[in-house]
Amino acid sequence: DISHRITRNLRRYLEPRQVTIMRIAVREMIINAIEHGNLELSFDEKTAAMESQRYFEIIAERQRDPRFRDRRVYIEYIISPEKCTYTISDDGPGFDYRRILSMPAEEQSTVLLEHGRGIMMAIQAFDKIEFNEKGNQVTLTKLIGLRA
């Protein structure tokens, strides 16, 4: 729901299909902040949870865990006729985003086949993607202009 709310005004400036792609990418980044950031669920743990069909159970367990339950995701955004920027931060320890960003395209499609495509979607949907040094904050920027 939040991804719909924070992208709906983009329709003033961009085509509906492009807005949908951006909304999905923003949603994926929010999900990453929750799962991998705040709940510290690793890629391998998520894969195992999905394979054993325990994914939702494990998410619920982590949400109740005192180590994770008070963590939050923070979303800031600005939409103007020139550009839109979304910054998504979490209270987690961060991750090595450089490893994902430096993967060759062939490896990305193999490694990220089951899940983990959120970053790749964001790279395709936005003009610029930046992580803070720690890896617990991403800023997505799309240059836009007034539609004719």
Side-chain angles (χ1 to χ4, degrees):
D1 189 45
I2 189 73
S3 65
H4 283 279
R5 281 191 261 159
I6 65 176
T7 59
R8 68 177 162 219
N9 288 331
L10 288 173
R11 292 184 189 272
R12 294 182 189 173
Y13 310 111
L14 299 168
E15 297 297 325
R17 182 170 166 22
Q18 193 170 21
V19 173
T20 299
I21 291 167
M22 291 171 65
R23 178 185 50 78
I24 292 167
V26 166
R27 183 188 70 204
E28 290 296 318
M29 294 294 93
I30 294 168
I31 290 169
N32 283 353
I34 295 166
E35 291 178 344
H36 303 301
N38 286 347
L39 299 179
E40 296 185 35
L41 188 66
S42 73
F43 184 89
D44 292 337
E45 289 171 324
K46 182 175 179 179
T47 300
M50 292 171 73
E51 288 173 355
S52 68
Q53 298 184 13
R54 291 191 63 235
Y55 169 76
F56 293 109
E57 181 183 336
I58 290 170
I59 292 293
E61 287 170 7
R62 295 241 177 159
Q63 288 173 326
R64 290 187 301 270
D65 188 316
R67 295 174 296 163
F68 309 122
R69 70 175 171 221
D70 294 326
R71 291 182 176 181
R72 300 286 180 253
V73 172
Y74 308 91
I75 303 168
E76 297 176 38
Y77 68 101
I78 297 171
I79 299 173
S80 75
E82 294 79 32
K83 69 179 181 177
C84 66
T85 303
Y86 295 90
T87 300
I88 302 159
S89 309
D90 62 66
D91 289 334
F95 81 110
D96 183 8
Y97 61 89
R98 291 171 198 87
R99 185 179 72 81
I100 299 291
L101 296 179
S102 66
M103 275 184 195
E106 309 81 51
E107 187 179 344
Q108 290 171 2
S109 61
T110 302
V111 170
L112 306 177
L113 189 61
E114 187 69 28
H115 61 89
R117 294 179 297 259
I119 293 174
M120 296 306 121
M121 292 175 73
I123 289 169
Q124 292 174 0
F126 288 87
D127 295 312
K128 188 174 177 184
I129 180 170
E130 298 175 292
F131 289 90
N132 67 351
E133 188 63 29
K134 185 177 177 182
N136 70 336
Q137 180 181 77
V138 63
T139 300
L140 309 168
T141 302
K142 179 74 170 176
L143 303 175
I144 55 179
L146 293 174
R147 282 196 300 182

